[in-house]
Amino acid sequence: DAGVIQSPRHEVTEMGQEVTLRCKPISGHDYLFWYRQTMMRGLELLIYFNNNVPIDDSGMPEDRFSAKMPNASFSTLKIQPSEPRDSAVYFCASRHTSTNYGYTFGSGTRLTVV
Amino acid sequence: DQQVKQNSPSLSVQEGRISILNCDYTNSMFDYFLWYKKYPAEGPTFLISISSIKDKNEDGRFTVFLNKSAKHLSLHIVPSQPGDSAVYFCAAAVRTDKLIFGTGTRLQVFP
């Protein structure tokens, strides 16, 4: 298995632009998580899905952030409009129900908003 | 509010010595704790875990200790090796709910 695949690896965008981050979870995994890593807050959970349904989005910072999972093999995290304070590394992780804490993380997308 | 805290942003240890990384939590409902390791440009990977019914779990050079009364856990690495240099994240969960991570501690092991 190729693991959790995130794209792009790096994204540089101007303030006010829309940014879309993509994630392909491991085949068969029924949970998908979006985390954001910053120096101040560490790894911060933004939202997670179970069987493509959003379960908890309480970590989404504000309405500028949205996430979708249209099918079991694809999820997006969108920021519109982007702001410099959104600059961070965004990680996607997935797991199977049978492995309660067996999260597999992708390599992350480093987002820079200038 | 940070439910899982790692108060030391960095730690430097000589090769062969013990590395001790600390983590504190505030939510007494947490019943499962984990440590993840992260190398630059990679995602975090699972290292070791402990259930709240235990106070110690060992896996090779890595041992995690849990002190529930103090709401504190620690990761011991003995002996430390240069390849252990990475960022270590502490994480906690209530049953099988979402993992809550700390801010991380950067460990540097020098020769």
Side-chain angles (χ1 to χ4, degrees), chain A residues 13-21 60 62-67 77-83 86 90 111 113:
Chain A
T13 190
E14 291 186 348
M15 181 174 64
Q17 296 298 306
E18 177 181 296
V19 176
T20 299
L21 311 181
M60 296 287 260
E62 43 195 280
D63 292 345
R64 298 185 296 105
F65 286 69
S66 62
L77 178 67
K78 186 177 293 186
I79 308 173
Q80 164 64 15
S82 57
E83 296 182 3
D86 302 330
Y90 291 79
L111 173 65
V113 183

Side-chain angles (χ1 to χ4, degrees), chain B residues 5-10 22-24 103-105:
Chain B
K5 303 175 184 178
Q6 294 177 255
N7 293 318
S8 298
S10 64
N22 294 303
C23 177
D24 297 295
T103 50
T105 296

Side-chain angles (χ1 to χ4, degrees), chain B residues 57-102:
Chain B
N57 188 28
E58 201 169 347
D59 183 2
R61 297 184 298 112
F62 303 90
T63 303
V64 55
F65 295 92
L66 176 62
N67 182 334
K68 289 188 290 295
S69 60
K71 295 191 179 66
H72 177 84
L73 68 156
S74 61
L75 174 68
H76 292 210
I77 306 174
V78 184
S80 302
Q81 299 174 354
D84 296 329
S85 298
V87 176
Y88 290 79
F89 288 97
C90 170
V94 177
R95 289 185 292 279
T96 60
D97 199 12
K98 58 197 177 187
L99 281 181
I100 306 299
F101 284 84

Side-chain angles (χ1 to χ4, degrees), chain A residues 56-114:
Chain A
D56 184 346
D57 66 354
S58 59
M60 296 287 260
E62 43 195 280
D63 292 345
R64 298 185 296 105
F65 286 69
S66 62
K68 294 182 179 179
M69 193 165 185
N71 57 63
S73 59
F74 184 65
S75 177
T76 60
L77 178 67
K78 186 177 293 186
I79 308 173
Q80 164 64 15
S82 57
E83 296 182 3
R85 60 191 168 126
D86 302 330
S87 298
V89 182
Y90 291 79
F91 288 100
C92 175
S94 70
R95 74 167 175 92
H96 187 270
T97 301
S98 63
T99 58
N100 293 334
Y101 305 103
Y103 288 38
T104 300
F105 281 81
S107 297
T109 295
R110 179 175 294 278
L111 173 65
T112 303
V113 183
V114 298

